[in-house]
Amino acid sequence: MNDINSLLIEYAGRYETPDFLPADPSWFMHKVNGRQNQETMAFIASCLSYGNRRQFFPKIQYILDCSKGEVYEWVRSGNFDSDIPDDAQCYYRLYTRHTMNKFLHALQDMICKYGSIENFVRSNASDGYSAVEAICRFFASRGIEVIIPKDTRSACKRVCMFLRWMVRDDSPVDLGLWSDFIDKRTLIMPMDTHVVQQACRLGLLNGRQATMASARRLTARMAEVFPDDPLKGDFALFGYGVNND
C-alpha cells in the first residue's frame, strides 16, 4: 500500500505542472481574462469535454472565438443565439445546436438571476457534493439532461471536473477562484471509465461502474494519500495512465 501511495504522490507532482495545460480542456479558462469570463469559459469547456480531444477542442475554441474572449457577456447578452442558433444541425456528437442553444439559455438564466455562476453556487451549496447537486438540480429544472446530469446518481464527471478547476488553489492548472467558500477537501474525484480503469488496476477500487458512490469511495481513498487535497489524485491517475497504457 505504501508503494502505491508513493507512486501516486510521484505522479501527481510530475503531472500537475503548466505543461499539463495545452493538451487539457482547462487550457481554455486560462485564455480569458477576469473572474466571470474564466468561470463561464471553464463551465462551457467542461460541458463539452468528452470523447476525442482533437474533436471537442475546436468546438470549445469556436465559442472562445465567437465571444472574442468575453464569454460571460456573450452568454449574458444572448449573443450566442446568432453563433449557435436553435436548429437541428449537429454541434458536437450527441449535442445538436438546439441542445447547445437550450443549454446556453439556461446558463443565461443563471447568470441573469444570480449575477454569476459563483453567486449561484454560493447561494445553493456549502461543499463539493452540494455544489454538484445544486448545478444538476438547476439545469434539470430547465429540461437540460443531455449536457448536465439530471441528478447525482451518475458520477457527474464533468461537473466535478469544473468544480476542481474552480476550487483547488495553489495549482498551476486549477484556478482556485472559489477556494474561499468551498473546501477542496470536500471535492469529488472526476470519474469516467478511464479513471475507473486506472483505479482498478492500482487496487484503489473494486467495481467498474462510474457512479457517484464509486467516485466518493475513490475520493476517500485519495484522501488517505493527499489528506489536505484529495483531488491531487486526479493528476496522479492521469500520470499513471500515461505511463502504463
Side-chain angles (χ1 to χ4, degrees):
M1 190 64 71
N2 286 335
D3 288 344
I4 292 174
N5 291 1
S6 297
L7 185 70
L8 292 170
I9 291 168
E10 177 192 346
Y11 279 138
R14 188 188 305 178
Y15 284 93
E16 190 179 5
T17 70
D19 292 338
F20 178 87
L21 282 168
D24 189 74
S26 57
W27 180 85
F28 289 94
M29 66 193 185
H30 290 271
K31 302 303 289 183
V32 296
N33 296 315
R35 190 182 190 100
Q36 292 174 334
N37 280 325
Q38 286 183 310
E39 67 180 36
T40 308
M41 186 76 258
F43 188 64
I44 294 172
S46 69
C47 290
L48 284 163
S49 296
Y50 76 100
N52 189 304
R53 294 183 183 197
R54 289 192 298 273
Q55 293 177 343
F56 71 71
F57 265 44
K59 302 303 180 181
I60 304 172
Q61 183 67 48
Y62 176 75
I63 290 171
L64 182 62
D65 292 341
C66 288
S67 66
K68 298 180 173 60
E70 299 295 331
V71 67
Y72 171 84
E73 180 60 22
W74 182 75
V75 173
R76 191 199 65 80
S77 66
N79 285 339
F80 58 83
D81 271 322
S82 60
D83 299 311
I84 305 177
D86 186 356
D87 62 35
Q89 289 190 33
C90 177
Y91 187 76
Y92 173 60
R93 293 186 66 175
L94 297 176
Y95 300 174
T96 63
R97 293 202 302 200
H98 166 75
T99 305
M100 282 295 296
N101 183 275
K102 187 177 179 183
F103 160 73
L104 289 168
H105 271 287
L107 181 57
Q108 181 189 33
D109 287 348
M110 178 187 286
I111 286 173
C112 288
K113 181 176 181 180
Y114 290 91
S116 67
I117 304 172
E118 176 185 351
N119 288 345
F120 167 79
V121 176
R122 278 185 183 271
S123 299
N124 291 277
S126 58
D127 58 22
Y129 181 68
S130 61
V132 177
E133 282 189 312
I135 290 170
C136 290
R137 189 168 55 246
F138 178 90
F139 285 93
S141 72
R142 285 153 176 79
I144 309 297
E145 295 185 3
V146 177
I147 295 179
I148 303 289
K150 64 181 180 179
D151 56 42
T152 54
R153 283 182 290 185
S154 71
C156 301
K157 184 253 183 170
R158 287 169 287 168
V159 179
C160 292
M161 181 174 69
F162 166 70
L163 290 169
R164 194 204 85 197
W165 294 348
M166 292 297 99
V167 173
R168 287 188 69 250
D169 54 359
D170 301 320
S171 171
V173 177
D174 301 330
L175 295 175
L177 299 178
W178 300 354
S179 61
D180 62 325
F181 73 98
I182 294 180
D183 190 326
K184 62 188 174 184
R185 292 172 295 183
T186 69
L187 294 172
I188 298 163
M189 280 285 290
M191 175 181 279
D192 56 16
T193 54
H194 180 72
V195 170
V196 170
Q197 181 183 35
Q198 305 307 330
C200 288
R201 288 170 68 182
L202 283 166
L204 304 173
L205 282 178
N206 294 320
R208 293 187 174 274
Q209 295 295 316
T211 64
M212 180 57 69
S214 57
R216 297 181 86 169
R217 283 197 298 273
L218 180 58
T219 305
R221 177 65 183 87
M222 288 301 184
E224 298 174 9
V225 185
F226 308 102
D228 296 322
D229 188 8
L231 264 58
K232 269 190 174 295
D234 202 11
F235 295 94
L237 290 182
F238 173 83
Y240 179 78
V242 167
N243 284 272
N244 292 277
D245 280 351

